[in-house]
Amino acid sequence: MKKILFLIHDLGAGGAEKVLVNLVNNMNPEKFDITVMALFGGGVNEQFLKPHVKLINVFSKAFPGNSHVMKLLTPKQLHKWLIKDKYDIEVSYLEGPSARIISGCPNEDTKLVSWIHIEQHTAKRLAASFRNLEEAVKCYNRFDNTVCVSQFVKKDFSEIINFNKPCEVLYNTNETELIKELAKEELDIELTPDYKNLVSVGKLLESKGYMRLLSIIKRLNQANNSVRLYILGVGPLKNKMEEYITKNHLEDNVVFLNYQTNPYKYVSKCDLFVCSSFSEGFSTAATEALIVGTPVCTVEVSGMKEMLGENNEYGIVTENSEDALYEGIKKLIENPELLEHYRKQAKERSKVFTTEETVNAVEEMLESL
């Protein structure tokens, strides 16, 4: 049995946090003795870990300036301070602080794996959690294998630091059958047929492009398209969004549903899932929309063409701009036949993202190290 540590910043409401829980819950407990270590505790996804998965929270919650404190110590000092046990494999499940810590492992017989979830775009962003770019390159080169969640992320990461070590793409794990079951639950709100009901899921952050999505909702209504947007998520952008909604009289067109442990019952009953992000890794929320059979319209960010096809076979991928996304949504909601076509295509595409296939691929990778 292999003893494995997965290190992550926290188990909060994000996509990477969710898919880590999905992965470890479904790995074979007879082959793998799994520990999940979160630097900061209290994340909403902690509650979903199965009993056989050990959880260690280093700190009870995040504290101000923690990233600066971490940089005062070298990777080896951090590893010695934070990781007390010895493992066969140590996995940094997010780029940045987790990678810096795991790269400091002193045990020569421990295999190290780095998981990259987000497109970095620039060397500055890639090195943000390190003392400098030189340290970032040195740390990432210590890993025996690097996993990226999409081909786009792999290309982006590899080109920025001229990365030549083993690097592969493994898709995120979703609880496919559980998602389908939860999607059948009755709603606690009423979706009126007078509107085309749109839905978006994610943290309320600038990077998710929610302000331009609100602008699109305003424009759609001005063009005599009756739409209502349901937003599932919490985050620091909410006050700014609410101010925009009030100023532009969109109270009847935008509904905040906050964080939901079962978002699938809402997503499955809406007409269209929308992703307006400026950047992604491999969108968990978009994958889940496909699983429940909801058409997807998204801007082009990492992984979307892999998910939906180079030529929009399984959903609509627009240029990453407000105007392009507006036109994509408008085209779909004004053409019921097209919307129905993509509903069928969503169900077809979801077959690629079964729990069994994605977990087996990760297990094979870990056993091969």
Side-chain angles (χ1 to χ4, degrees), residues 95-359:
E95 54 281 333
S98 301
R100 192 166 182 266
I101 294 165
I102 295 298
S103 73
C105 178
N107 307 315
E108 290 185 6
D109 52 349
T110 298
K111 298 297 182 181
L112 308 182
V113 178
S114 170
W115 227 282
I116 310 295
H117 284 264
I118 300 293
E119 51 193 291
Q120 305 296 311
H121 295 302
T122 66
K124 182 179 179 181
R125 180 174 177 182
L126 184 145
S129 298
F130 300 85
R131 289 177 175 174
N132 48 49
L133 181 61
E134 183 181 1
E135 185 191 65
V137 172
K138 183 179 179 181
C139 288
Y140 282 120
N141 276 312
R142 283 222 64 223
F143 288 91
D144 298 285
N145 194 28
T146 295
V147 175
C148 297
V149 298
S150 74
Q151 293 292 346
F152 191 105
V153 167
K154 177 182 175 181
K155 183 174 184 290
D156 172 76
F157 175 78
S158 300
E159 288 181 353
I160 289 173
I161 61 171
N162 193 26
F163 194 64
N164 295 309
K165 293 202 68 179
C167 187
E168 63 182 301
V169 173
L170 295 174
Y171 291 132
N172 291 333
T173 298
N174 296 279
E175 294 268 18
T176 310
E177 295 307 314
L178 176 61
I179 288 170
K180 290 178 180 178
E181 279 302 308
L182 291 171
K184 297 175 184 176
E185 284 189 9
E186 293 295 320
L187 292 182
D188 48 7
I189 58 172
E190 185 178 351
L191 298 182
T192 171
D194 297 336
Y195 291 89
K196 284 296 182 186
N197 295 296
L198 314 184
V199 63
S200 189
V201 182
K203 289 181 183 177
L204 306 186
L205 302 170
E206 292 282 359
S207 62
K208 296 295 183 181
Y210 280 120
M211 295 309 299
R212 64 177 173 179
L213 183 53
L214 294 181
S215 175
I216 288 170
I217 298 300
K218 177 183 175 182
R219 292 170 64 182
L220 288 169
N221 279 284
Q222 288 173 337
N224 296 316
N225 290 287
S226 296
V227 296
R228 181 173 282 161
L229 172 66
Y230 293 89
I231 300 175
L232 288 89
V234 295
L237 195 62
K238 188 174 183 181
N239 287 343
K240 184 178 178 181
M241 293 172 70
E242 288 177 329
E243 288 173 7
Y244 183 93
I245 290 165
T246 302
K247 181 179 178 181
N248 291 280
H249 311 292
L250 295 174
E251 292 90 346
D252 196 43
N253 304 103
V254 182
V255 178
F256 288 100
L257 294 174
N258 300 316
Y259 173 80
Q260 298 285 337
T261 55
N262 179 9
Y264 320 113
K265 63 182 181 182
Y266 302 98
V267 176
S268 64
K269 296 170 184 70
C270 283
D271 298 297
L272 182 66
F273 174 91
V274 179
C275 174
S276 55
S277 297
F278 291 101
S279 64
E280 284 286 342
F282 194 87
S283 173
T284 301
T287 309
E288 291 169 346
L290 296 179
I291 290 169
V292 301
T294 300
V296 174
C297 185
T298 174
V299 291
E300 185 178 359
V301 285
S302 168
M304 289 305 189
K305 286 196 171 181
E306 288 171 61
M307 189 186 302
L308 301 174
E310 287 291 331
N311 298 298
N312 293 339
E313 292 92 337
Y314 302 101
I316 296 291
V317 182
T318 75
E319 290 181 5
N320 198 333
S321 72
E322 179 182 320
D323 287 345
L325 183 59
Y326 167 76
E327 293 296 339
I329 295 171
K330 188 170 184 287
K331 181 179 178 180
L332 282 166
I333 63 176
E334 290 180 350
N335 292 275
E337 299 85 1
L338 189 60
L339 207 54
E340 182 57 31
H341 166 74
Y342 279 118
R343 186 173 293 278
K344 292 176 182 176
Q345 290 298 92
K347 291 177 181 177
E348 180 63 29
R349 188 57 170 164
S350 70
K351 296 174 184 177
V352 175
F353 305 109
T354 64
T355 307
E356 185 178 7
E357 281 196 27
T358 54
V359 172

